[in-house]
Amino acid sequence: MPAHATPHSPIFGQRLRQLRNQAELSQEKVGVMIGLEESSARARISRYETGEHDPSEATAIKIAEVFGVPLAYLYTPDPRLGDIIRCYDRMDETDRARLAELAARLVESSEP
């Protein structure tokens, strides 16, 4: 689990459920896709979604890969930051550098 996430953080589960529903996948299907045994897949994904259990880092990485999102997206509680993380992931290095420069300028311009 990343250092910034708290044990049994509801954020991961909320994002997992949202991604799973958007992809119209069952809990069992997602579990099987990340390598869980079919017999326990639904229950394990359900526990992640409800926050009853947190996945290991390796499992969280597999979940992020299945949905094509950065791992950080699954843990950030700020919806806008989540959107930025997903956009950043799709950018090339030039655009990433431009974004970093813009963010720095915005911070500088808002400081007293």
Side-chain angles (χ1 to χ4, degrees), residues 9-112:
S9 169
I11 298 303
F12 184 95
Q14 290 169 8
R15 293 210 184 261
L16 171 56
R17 179 174 282 134
Q18 177 187 26
L19 289 167
R20 184 179 61 75
N21 287 336
Q22 287 172 350
E24 298 181 348
L25 295 172
S26 68
Q27 291 173 331
E28 182 177 345
K29 178 71 172 173
V30 171
V32 170
M33 291 172 75
I34 64 168
L36 299 176
E37 292 291 327
E38 190 173 347
S39 61
S40 63
R42 186 201 59 76
R44 291 265 303 273
I45 297 301
S46 175
R47 288 183 190 117
Y48 298 152
E49 288 184 359
T50 62
E52 183 179 340
H53 292 288
D54 290 322
S56 67
E57 184 175 354
T59 299
I61 289 168
K62 288 178 187 175
I63 290 169
E65 289 171 352
V66 161
F67 291 107
V69 298
L71 181 61
Y73 173 77
L74 293 171
Y75 287 98
T76 185
D78 184 324
R80 284 180 289 189
L81 181 56
D83 292 342
I84 291 167
I85 289 169
R86 290 188 77 178
C87 289
Y88 181 88
D89 187 57
R90 294 190 305 265
M91 292 178 178
D92 62 26
E93 286 303 316
T94 301
D95 286 340
R96 288 177 177 182
R98 289 174 50 208
L99 178 62
E101 290 171 15
L102 175 60
R105 283 197 309 263
L106 287 169
V107 169
E108 288 172 8
S109 69
S110 67
E111 292 177 346

